Amino acid sequence: MLQLKLKFFLLTAIFFSFSTFKNTRADELPRVPVQTFAAEEGLIPEDIASFPELKTWALYQFYELEPDNPTMGIQDYLCRMVPETGLRFLLEKSPKNRSTVYLYLDMTRYLPQKKAIFKSRKLDIYINRRKKKEIYTSRGKSFTNPVEIQIEPNEFPDGKIYVELFPSTSESGRFWGVWDAFILENPLEKN
């Protein structure tokens, strides 16, 4: 039991500590404090998944899983799954620099093969309790990773950016997941 708890703590720490990654385009490093999820009770195996686990599941569904995006050098192939009830986490930005920031979410993305039964799905993204974006995936259309959300300084006056992800109410299970989340002061250049 102790090994299992230690494994979950380490996986959570790896996923939520980005302070070792350098960002040459912004003054502050992207980070999510480890204690963001430390208070959450009952972390279960379904809350965290690795690329091999998700890829195996995807193969049985006749989906192709897009790998963890290497943007900003953040690529650990571990993802925090979004439960049916949603997921909430905190990112912090120094309130001293009052400028627009860009939140990037590298989400799990599946591409259906010919044999796949792939229903349309939607994920609502809230920033500090305000709906900022919806992303969709269906057989013929999907979003692009990482998902970009522009956040104005008046939306996070104390430097705290609470991100909430809610799957549509008709969904069951854990389809959505977050590989990485980070904040930049300048938008990523589109290739």
Side-chain angles (χ1 to χ4, degrees), residues 20-32:
T20 59
F21 298 102
K22 297 201 178 203
N23 175 3
T24 57
R25 297 173 46 100
D27 296 331
E28 188 173 3
L29 298 174
R31 62 187 174 102
V32 178

Side-chain angles (χ1 to χ4, degrees), residues 66 75-76 111 132 151 153 157 165 168:
E66 184 178 88
Q75 188 178 37
D76 59 7
L111 306 171
K132 290 291 283 185
I151 308 171
L165 308 173
S168 57

Side-chain angles (χ1 to χ4, degrees), residues 89 91 99-107 123-128 130-135 143-153 155-156 161-166 178 180-188 190:
F89 58 93
L91 295 167
S99 63
T100 299
V101 296
Y102 298 86
L103 167 66
Y104 289 95
L105 299 171
D106 185 13
M107 305 297 298
L123 183 73
D124 293 328
I125 303 169
Y126 288 78
I127 304 298
N128 291 342
R130 183 171 162 230
K131 188 173 183 177
K132 290 291 283 185
K133 192 166 197 146
E134 295 176 340
I135 57 173
F143 59 94
T144 304
N145 268 324
V147 175
E148 178 184 273
I149 300 169
Q150 184 175 327
I151 308 171
E152 299 301 324
E155 295 179 276
F156 62 102
I161 300 171
Y162 288 96
V163 181
E164 294 175 288
L165 308 173
F166 293 106
V178 184
D180 308 297
F182 56 94
I183 298 171
L184 297 177
E185 290 182 3
N186 298 305
L188 287 172
K190 305 292 184 199

